[in-house]
PDB file of all heavy atoms in Angstrom:
ATOM      1  N   MET S 313     107.355  93.066  98.255  1.00 92.00           N
ATOM      2  CA  MET S 313     107.507  94.499  97.869  1.00 92.00           C
ATOM      3  C   MET S 313     107.969  94.694  96.448  1.00 92.00           C
ATOM      4  O   MET S 313     107.992  95.800  95.933  1.00 92.00           O
ATOM      5  CB  MET S 313     108.375  95.262  98.846  1.00 92.00           C
ATOM      6  CG  MET S 313     107.858  95.162 100.322  1.00 92.00           C
ATOM      7  SD  MET S 313     106.191  95.722 100.512  1.00 92.00           S
ATOM      8  CE  MET S 313     106.369  97.460 100.100  1.00 92.00           C
ATOM      9  N   THR S 314     108.428  93.651  95.803  1.00 89.00           N
ATOM     10  CA  THR S 314     108.975  93.680  94.394  1.00 89.00           C
ATOM     11  C   THR S 314     107.828  93.774  93.449  1.00 89.00           C
ATOM     12  O   THR S 314     106.943  92.887  93.458  1.00 89.00           O
ATOM     13  CB  THR S 314     109.852  92.462  94.148  1.00 89.00           C
ATOM     14  OG1 THR S 314     110.880  92.376  95.095  1.00 89.00           O
ATOM     15  CG2 THR S 314     110.411  92.578  92.689  1.00 89.00           C
ATOM     16  N   PRO S 315     107.728  94.814  92.594  1.00 90.00           N
ATOM     17  CA  PRO S 315     106.689  94.968  91.674  1.00 90.00           C
ATOM     18  C   PRO S 315     106.732  93.773  90.590  1.00 90.00           C
ATOM     19  O   PRO S 315     107.768  93.471  90.083  1.00 90.00           O
ATOM     20  CB  PRO S 315     106.968  96.245  90.954  1.00 90.00           C
ATOM     21  CG  PRO S 315     107.730  97.079  91.860  1.00 90.00           C
ATOM     22  CD  PRO S 315     108.560  96.003  92.574  1.00 90.00           C
ATOM     23  N   ARG S 316     105.665  93.120  90.407  1.00 88.00           N
ATOM     24  CA  ARG S 316     105.500  91.978  89.520  1.00 88.00           C
ATOM     25  C   ARG S 316     104.145  92.099  88.804  1.00 88.00           C
ATOM     26  O   ARG S 316     103.202  92.769  89.207  1.00 88.00           O
ATOM     27  CB  ARG S 316     105.538  90.675  90.251  1.00 88.00           C
ATOM     28  CG  ARG S 316     106.768  90.498  91.056  1.00 88.00           C
ATOM     29  CD  ARG S 316     106.714  89.127  91.802  1.00 88.00           C
ATOM     30  NE  ARG S 316     107.709  89.055  92.854  1.00 88.00           N
ATOM     31  CZ  ARG S 316     108.946  88.744  92.694  1.00 88.00           C
ATOM     32  NH1 ARG S 316     109.388  88.542  91.504  1.00 88.00           N
ATOM     33  NH2 ARG S 316     109.769  88.604  93.734  1.00 88.00           N
ATOM     34  N   ALA S 317     104.020  91.423  87.683  1.00 88.00           N
ATOM     35  CA  ALA S 317     102.717  91.248  86.980  1.00 88.00           C
ATOM     36  C   ALA S 317     102.037  89.991  87.450  1.00 88.00           C
ATOM     37  O   ALA S 317     102.061  88.977  86.711  1.00 88.00           O
ATOM     38  CB  ALA S 317     102.992  91.251  85.459  1.00 88.00           C
ATOM     39  N   SER S 318     101.492  90.068  88.683  1.00 85.00           N
ATOM     40  CA  SER S 318     100.769  88.911  89.263  1.00 85.00           C
ATOM     41  C   SER S 318      99.332  89.112  89.046  1.00 85.00           C
ATOM     42  O   SER S 318      98.772  90.056  89.431  1.00 85.00           O
ATOM     43  CB  SER S 318     101.132  88.859  90.722  1.00 85.00           C
ATOM     44  OG  SER S 318     102.477  88.775  91.014  1.00 85.00           O
ATOM     45  N   ARG S 319      98.771  88.160  88.248  1.00 81.00           N
ATOM     46  CA  ARG S 319      97.347  88.238  87.944  1.00 81.00           C
ATOM     47  C   ARG S 319      96.496  87.045  88.299  1.00 81.00           C
ATOM     48  O   ARG S 319      95.330  86.979  87.996  1.00 81.00           O
ATOM     49  CB  ARG S 319      97.217  88.563  86.452  1.00 81.00           C
ATOM     50  CG  ARG S 319      97.849  89.794  85.929  1.00 81.00           C
ATOM     51  CD  ARG S 319      97.162  91.022  86.592  1.00 81.00           C
ATOM     52  NE  ARG S 319      97.799  92.232  86.034  1.00 81.00           N
ATOM     53  CZ  ARG S 319      98.688  92.980  86.516  1.00 81.00           C
ATOM     54  NH1 ARG S 319      99.236  92.611  87.681  1.00 81.00           N
ATOM     55  NH2 ARG S 319      99.077  94.077  86.001  1.00 81.00           N
ATOM     56  N   GLY S 320      97.051  86.103  88.988  1.00 85.00           N
ATOM     57  CA  GLY S 320      96.223  84.968  89.366  1.00 85.00           C
ATOM     58  C   GLY S 320      96.699  84.417  90.732  1.00 85.00           C
ATOM     59  O   GLY S 320      97.804  84.541  91.149  1.00 85.00           O
ATOM     60  N   VAL S 321      95.742  83.851  91.440  1.00 89.00           N
ATOM     61  CA  VAL S 321      96.017  83.282  92.759  1.00 89.00           C
ATOM     62  C   VAL S 321      95.176  82.082  93.003  1.00 89.00           C
ATOM     63  O   VAL S 321      94.002  82.088  92.608  1.00 89.00           O
ATOM     64  CB  VAL S 321      95.891  84.351  93.852  1.00 89.00           C
ATOM     65  CG1 VAL S 321      94.465  84.780  94.037  1.00 89.00           C
ATOM     66  CG2 VAL S 321      96.426  83.838  95.202  1.00 89.00           C
TER      67      VAL S 321
END
Side-chain angles (χ1 to χ4, degrees):
M313 300 306 292
T314 303
R316 303 179 195 280
S318 303
R319 298 295 186 265
V321 65

